[in-house]
Amino acid sequence: MKTICIIPARYSSTRLPGKPLKDICGKPMICRVYERAKNSKLADEIIVATDDERIFQAVEKNSGRAMMTRADHKTGTDRLAEVAEKFPDAEVIVNVQGDEPLIEASLIDELIEQFADENLQMATVATELFDEEEMKNPNNVKVVIDKKNNALYFSRSLIPYPRNAGKAKVYKHIGIYAYRRNFLLDYAKMEPTELEKSESLEQLRALENGFKIRVIKSDCKFIGVDTEEDLKLVNEIYQVVVSE
C-alpha cells in the first residue's frame, strides 16, 4: 500500500507572516516538520507542496523534497490533491500541517494502518481536552465521536454542551488527515457545503456528503505554531530535545 505524506506550505499567514520559514533551533520550521515526518516507518515518500519559491529552496537546501504547486488554491486540500494527482500508484495520502513541528511520526504510521480497512476513506486525530479555556476557544476545533471511533460532528463551539457536566469527554481535533487517494481527488472537487461555510471547517464537507471520518484518539502533545508565543515555546522544547 504505497503512501505519500504531503506537507502543504504557503508563505502568507495572517498572524505570523512567513511562518514556514521561521527559525526553530537553526532550521526553518517547514524543515523541522519534514524531519519529523521522515521518521515515519510506513510513509514511502515525504513531499512539501508549496507555491512559494523561498519555501521550495529552503526544503531542497536541507535535503528535503518539495514540489511547486499552483498559487490559486483556496484550501490546503486543493494543494494536496494537485500533488496526489501526480502519483497514480499511491493508495493513501497523508496530510501533515506545515505548522506542526512536534508531529509524532508514530501517529502518521497509526493513521496509515487504519487503511487496512478497505472501506475506510478518511481518517484524522483527536486529543482529550481538560482546560476550560481551551474548550471555549473557537480556534480549538472540537469533535464528537461515536462508539466506532467515527466523527459525528466538528465544531468551533463547545461540543457536547455540558448540560450534565462530566458525563462526556471533550476532544480537540488535530489537523492531520489521511485519505484514500481516489477519495481525496473526488473530495477536492465537491462543492463547499452549508455547515462547512458556517463553521469554516472543510472536513464538514465530507460528513455532509455522507462519508465517515475515522478518528484516532491520541495522548500526544501538539503545539501548532500560529503566534510568536507558540514559536518561542516550540524553540524551547527543541532546545531541550537537542541537549538530551
Side-chain angles (χ1 to χ4, degrees):
M1 183 170 65
K2 183 171 181 177
T3 300
I4 309 294
C5 180
I6 302 173
I7 310 170
R10 60 190 185 92
Y11 188 84
S12 59
S13 171
T14 304
R15 285 181 286 182
L16 196 60
K19 182 164 62 172
L21 299 182
K22 293 295 183 181
D23 183 86
I24 296 180
C25 286
K27 287 187 180 182
M29 179 167 63
I30 189 64
C31 297
R32 291 299 187 187
V33 178
Y34 186 96
E35 287 175 347
R36 301 278 289 197
K38 194 72 175 175
N39 289 325
S40 165
K41 297 177 181 178
L42 299 181
D44 296 292
E45 293 191 56
I46 314 294
I47 301 169
V48 172
T50 184
D51 60 358
D52 192 281
E53 185 67 29
R54 291 164 291 187
I55 296 173
F56 180 90
Q57 292 297 338
V59 174
E60 294 277 317
K61 182 180 178 180
N62 284 275
S63 303
R65 182 181 180 187
M67 294 181 66
M68 292 295 293
T69 62
R70 297 192 342 244
D72 59 346
H73 288 307
K74 294 181 180 179
T75 69
T77 301
D78 293 334
R79 197 176 311 283
L80 195 74
E82 180 185 344
V83 176
E85 283 184 327
K86 295 178 170 61
F87 294 90
D89 58 336
E91 187 172 346
V92 174
I93 304 294
V94 180
N95 178 2
V96 172
Q97 300 300 317
D99 57 3
E100 289 280 355
L102 297 176
I103 188 68
E104 293 286 348
S106 60
L107 192 57
I108 296 173
D109 291 340
E110 191 174 352
L111 274 171
I112 295 169
E113 287 171 344
Q114 300 301 308
F115 288 83
D117 177 354
E118 295 183 356
N119 295 315
L120 183 64
Q121 301 297 323
M122 182 174 177
T124 190
V125 178
T127 188
E128 188 175 351
L129 280 177
F130 298 96
D131 183 85
E132 287 192 14
E133 289 303 313
E134 281 196 275
M135 293 179 188
K136 295 175 183 177
N137 186 343
N139 291 319
N140 291 331
V141 177
K142 275 69 70 176
V143 56
V144 285
I145 307 165
D146 69 18
K147 291 186 177 182
K148 294 184 178 180
N149 292 320
N150 294 314
L152 291 170
Y153 190 68
F154 297 84
S155 181
R156 296 186 182 278
S157 298
L158 174 57
I159 52 172
Y161 179 78
R163 181 71 167 81
N164 296 301
K167 296 297 183 182
K169 295 178 180 179
V170 177
Y171 288 97
K172 174 184 176 181
H173 174 233
I174 306 302
I176 174 175
Y177 296 94
Y179 310 86
R180 207 165 291 279
R181 177 184 175 274
N182 290 343
F183 169 75
L184 170 64
L185 299 182
D186 291 339
Y187 174 59
K189 296 173 184 176
M190 295 177 191
E191 290 295 322
T193 54
E194 291 183 5
L195 292 174
E196 172 190 355
K197 290 186 283 188
S198 177
E199 295 257 17
S200 190
L201 295 175
E202 197 175 0
Q203 63 269 36
L204 290 174
R205 187 188 310 177
L207 294 185
E208 284 189 83
N209 279 284
F211 295 98
K212 293 185 182 297
I213 302 176
R214 177 80 48 81
V215 182
I216 294 173
K217 298 172 185 176
S218 174
D219 293 327
C220 294
K221 300 300 180 184
F222 300 89
I223 302 176
V225 177
D226 290 313
T227 65
E228 289 288 352
E229 290 74 20
D230 296 334
L231 185 64
K232 180 180 177 182
L233 179 56
V234 169
N235 264 287
E236 291 172 355
I237 293 171
Y238 262 83
Q239 286 170 0
V240 171
V241 172
V242 169
S243 65
E244 291 177 347

